[in-house]
Amino acid sequence: MAQEDIFKKLTAHCKEYGYVFPSSEIYDGLSAIYDYGQHGVELKNNIRKYWWDSMVLLHENIVGIDSAIFMHPAIWKASGHVDAFNDPLIDNRDSKKRYRADILIEEHMAGIDGKIDREIGKAARRFGEAFDEKQYRETNKRVLSYQEKLDGISARYSKAMNDNNLQELRQIILDSEIVCPVSGTRNWTEVRQFNLMFSTETGSTAEGANKIYLRPETAQGIFVNFLNVQKTGRMKLPFGIAQVGKAFRNEIVARQFIFRMREFEQMEMQFFVKPGTELEWFEYWKEARIRWFRALGFGDDNYRFHDHTKLAHYANAATDIEYKFPFGFREVEGIHSRTDFDLRQHQQYSGKRMQYFDPEKGESYIPCVVETSIGLDRMFLHIISASYNEEELKKDDGSSDMRVVMKLPAFLAPVKLAVMPLVRKDGLPEIAEKIIQNLKFSFNCQYDDKDSIGRRYRRQDAIGTPYCITIDHQTREDETLTIRYRDSMIQERVAVSQLPEIIGEKVSFEGPLRKIQDE
Ligand code: ATP
């Protein structure tokens, strides 16, 4: 299915079930800005907690902070954002649509990669067991010609980005015959640089006003607090500082639902280490972070590392963790070994020493940093697109029905338990209410007595509620009820008193957190 159709489907589902709403909708919305609804906010909180606990609970040497969105403007000069936080943009003269030149080229390359994958897939089916992928890649003419094309574009693209050569980027677009997806033409403008930072002003009078930026990443708030935390927490290297918070980028491409937003949340952790050990820590964090993803149970093969061959001047290693979205592998997290660049820059610009006194060596130095940086909203999109299922259900009479079910990991699901009285009389609603009053301290419960039980199940499936319980007349007599499991749709009779145990185990964060602990 095309990327746009998938986004359409997910967007509609998220809106219908209280996950994500377009911002300012009654005023026709605001491009690339979204609001989270009653279920979305719960899922987001749970993802945030999963990340936070995996950092701060599981590591004695990682602590959290919450720094302000506004920071001294010199910080963004020191970090390089004022001068170099740019995207190359290009317009199509016929459709008047604006694109990121780098993304047009990357998507074109992903398209060629997809063609290679399809050739390999076809051949694998044809040859069966005997298929040798490596040999096929090295000998099949069609695959070789795609690969040659891909390597050619990739080399030119890397060089152009490194050299900041905007003319060459345009030339690659022309030579690769990339067309505008809207107009279908190749009538492209020049490529221009565009700074992604939003700015505003502080100060009440025009004369006294100062230009100030909305932070485009949370990391700088960590760097400038490095010594505050180190000293007040008496932290010894290696140690980490974690932060979750809003970031703002004036993104040019804004047609991708919550994949690319202008206001979004990041979950970042900067790990400060002794110079010379950073590449070992980089490997450590690569493994730790991929375990975090895999513990969700969406399939190990749906994640891959994309190591950067072209490194920013301050990095000595970098990789992205990519998830296989329904529209292809895309970055969800970046892991970067940033050397001592950031602290050194802040030392230079602020005139304050940003050094760590190493009691073992008896000397001071600027530590190196390995950072892990993940978008909370992009992770949200990953979880909902991985959980969204349309299932055909065969009925006994041979006909079939359809259900949309969000197979969210139970510990992340916004609602853990839907409590449903079979009928709205005979004291059943009161029993349901009593159960909720009892369980609400541990689980997010939802009361639902509208429509038939079947329709209520469908509604909860669409929300992703892992457990539904039905109170019927028998409940009044023997304190048992029916529990129905979302994924298997199996129903069983259990005692009311068993509920905390049955639900508690599956919705606890402990299981996934234990899985990602260091072996
Ligand atoms: P991209 O290449 O997709 O623009 P990036 O490499 O600029 O991303 P980083 O600056 O490394 O991204 O940010 C770390 C993470 O923050 C990304 O992996 C992504 O999950 C998230 N992120 C970045 N920009 C956005 C955005 N505009 N909307 C939502 N999430 C974002």
Side-chain angles (χ1 to χ4, degrees):
M1 198 185 291
Q3 178 168 318
E4 268 168 33
D5 295 334
I6 293 158
F7 280 138
K8 252 189 218 156
K9 196 174 260 196
L10 283 176
T11 312
H13 187 83
C14 280
K15 185 170 170 216
E16 189 174 351
Y17 290 97
Y19 273 92
V20 183
F21 305 128
S23 160
S24 325
E25 196 184 8
I26 59 169
Y27 292 94
D28 298 332
L30 190 60
S31 182
I33 314 271
Y34 289 90
D35 296 338
Y36 287 84
Q38 68 277 22
H39 294 131
V41 70
E42 298 289 344
L43 174 57
K44 208 173 166 201
N45 284 344
N46 291 339
I47 299 171
R48 192 190 284 115
K49 177 173 164 54
Y50 178 44
W51 182 86
W52 187 267
D53 288 357
S54 75
M55 290 292 174
V56 176
L57 269 192
L58 294 195
H59 298 90
E60 279 171 43
N61 59 349
I62 298 182
V63 293
I65 61 162
D66 182 17
S67 70
I69 287 170
F70 289 131
M71 309 208 301
H72 194 288
I75 287 174
W76 304 111
K77 195 78 191 147
S79 67
H81 283 81
V82 171
D83 297 319
F85 193 52
N86 300 323
D87 274 343
L89 67 84
I90 189 166
D91 292 348
N92 182 272
R93 290 197 186 92
D94 299 319
S95 67
K96 309 268 183 288
K97 291 273 178 210
R98 180 161 288 176
Y99 300 90
R100 262 173 67 176
D102 55 335
I103 290 190
L104 278 181
I105 298 172
E106 280 174 16
E107 284 182 351
H108 179 69
M109 292 197 291
I112 303 176
D113 216 16
K115 283 185 186 160
I116 297 178
D117 279 350
R118 280 196 291 282
E119 289 295 327
I120 304 264
K122 266 196 283 180
R125 282 192 294 281
R126 204 166 36 192
F127 293 114
E129 294 268 296
F131 183 61
D132 179 343
E133 184 180 326
K134 186 165 175 283
Q135 190 189 7
Y136 195 78
R137 277 184 187 274
E138 284 166 5
T139 52
N140 179 272
K141 283 213 176 77
R142 199 171 292 166
V143 171
L144 282 173
S145 106
Y146 285 141
Q147 193 60 50
E148 195 184 336
K149 205 164 160 188
L150 193 60
D151 293 343
I153 300 174
S154 173
R156 280 179 70 188
Y157 172 60
S158 292
K159 185 163 178 353
M161 290 295 278
N162 260 343
D163 300 347
N164 206 3
N165 186 341
L166 302 182
Q167 260 175 342
E168 170 68 354
L169 281 181
R170 178 170 191 269
Q171 202 52 49
I172 297 172
I173 291 173
L174 295 179
D175 294 349
S176 306
E177 301 184 346
I178 296 173
V179 296
C180 164
V182 177
S183 67
T185 71
R186 287 183 244 151
N187 194 2
W188 297 109
T189 61
E190 295 304 309
V191 177
R192 280 166 296 148
Q193 287 290 25
F194 177 78
N195 193 288
L196 297 182
M197 280 202 294
F198 283 103
S199 64
T200 182
E201 286 169 355
T202 54
S204 52
T205 58
E207 307 85 68
N210 276 317
K211 188 169 178 181
I212 188 165
Y213 297 99
L214 276 77
R215 66 179 176 199
E217 61 172 34
T218 57
Q220 298 303 323
I222 295 180
F223 291 126
V224 297
N225 277 299
F226 153 70
L227 277 184
N228 283 337
V229 174
Q230 191 269 319
K231 290 202 168 125
T232 55
R234 288 175 293 136
M235 313 291 289
K236 288 214 174 77
L237 290 188
F239 74 91
I241 305 178
Q243 165 156 242
V244 180
K246 290 269 183 172
F248 303 83
R249 294 182 187 180
N250 198 0
E251 298 281 1
I252 302 157
V253 180
R255 292 179 283 275
Q256 299 176 299
F257 190 31
I258 56 170
F259 185 82
R260 195 176 296 287
M261 301 156 91
R262 295 198 167 122
E263 173 180 341
F264 59 103
E265 238 172 299
Q266 283 189 317
M267 307 190 284
E268 296 197 294
M269 195 278 299
Q270 317 295 132
F271 201 67
F272 300 90
V273 304
K274 275 186 198 160
T277 63
E278 70 274 16
L279 292 179
E280 278 162 48
W281 284 111
F282 175 72
E283 290 305 323
Y284 170 90
W285 282 110
K286 269 178 82 169
E287 287 314 309
R289 293 303 301 147
I290 199 118
R291 278 205 299 275
W292 184 86
F293 284 95
R294 288 180 175 157
L296 293 168
F298 289 122
D300 291 2
D301 293 343
N302 288 323
Y303 302 98
R304 71 179 187 194
F305 289 113
H306 172 229
D307 292 334
H308 293 202
T309 43
K310 166 183 77 79
L311 293 170
H313 62 279
Y314 50 82
N316 60 2
T319 195
D320 296 334
I321 295 181
E322 297 183 336
Y323 167 69
K324 193 175 184 186
F325 284 94
F327 41 89
F329 275 102
R330 294 286 189 285
E331 171 183 342
V332 183
E333 168 157 347
I335 303 172
H336 313 116
S337 172
R338 300 180 62 99
T339 65
D340 65 1
F341 173 80
D342 304 87
L343 292 178
R344 189 171 289 283
Q345 287 290 103
H346 288 305
Q347 174 166 290
Q348 188 190 330
Y349 277 74
S350 68
K352 309 276 169 9
R353 274 163 69 87
M354 298 298 284
Q355 303 196 359
Y356 169 78
F357 178 74
D358 187 332
E360 280 163 29
K361 285 189 165 174
E363 64 183 41
S364 296
Y365 51 80
I366 302 179
C368 283
V369 171
V370 176
E371 83 169 352
T372 72
S373 173
I374 170 173
L376 175 50
D377 313 82
R378 204 171 282 182
M379 189 62 198
F380 185 109
L381 182 64
H382 156 16
I383 305 266
I384 54 169
S385 54
S387 302
Y388 182 92
N389 279 278
E390 290 174 2
E391 285 181 357
E392 199 186 336
L393 306 174
K394 290 259 180 290
K395 288 199 199 156
D396 293 342
D397 64 4
S399 66
S400 66
D401 197 1
M402 234 270 297
R403 75 162 179 160
V404 171
V405 52
M406 294 274 272
K407 293 188 172 170
L408 296 164
F411 76 108
L412 296 181
V415 182
K416 307 301 185 205
L417 178 69
V419 184
M420 311 171 166
L422 186 63
V423 287
R424 250 187 261 169
K425 55 182 186 183
D426 304 335
L428 304 189
E430 287 75 9
I431 300 177
E433 203 45 59
K434 208 169 129 202
I435 292 176
I436 291 180
Q437 289 307 325
N438 231 339
L439 295 181
K440 71 178 181 188
F441 300 97
S442 314
F443 316 117
N444 194 349
C445 306
Q446 201 169 79
Y447 177 84
D448 193 357
D449 68 3
K450 281 191 203 73
D451 305 320
S452 69
I453 285 289
R455 288 186 68 169
R456 286 185 244 172
Y457 283 158
R458 290 289 169 277
R459 192 153 56 226
Q460 295 299 332
D461 285 345
I463 293 170
T465 308
Y467 303 101
C468 290
I469 55 172
T470 307
I471 319 300
D472 55 22
H473 292 91
Q474 198 185 325
T475 316
R476 286 193 314 193
E477 281 145 36
D478 63 5
E479 301 222 331
T480 63
L481 41 72
T482 308
I483 185 162
R484 185 245 193 202
Y485 303 99
R486 178 195 65 199
D487 299 350
S488 63
M489 293 189 291
I490 287 171
Q491 302 182 18
E492 47 180 8
R493 194 98 203 157
V494 300
V496 174
S497 59
Q498 283 176 277
L499 288 177
E501 197 189 334
I502 297 176
I503 302 164
E505 195 205 323
K506 280 273 167 6
V507 306
S508 155
F509 281 71
E510 186 170 337
L513 285 175
R514 276 194 185 281
K515 271 197 214 157
I516 61 174
Q517 269 223 115
D518 295 349
E519 268 96 43

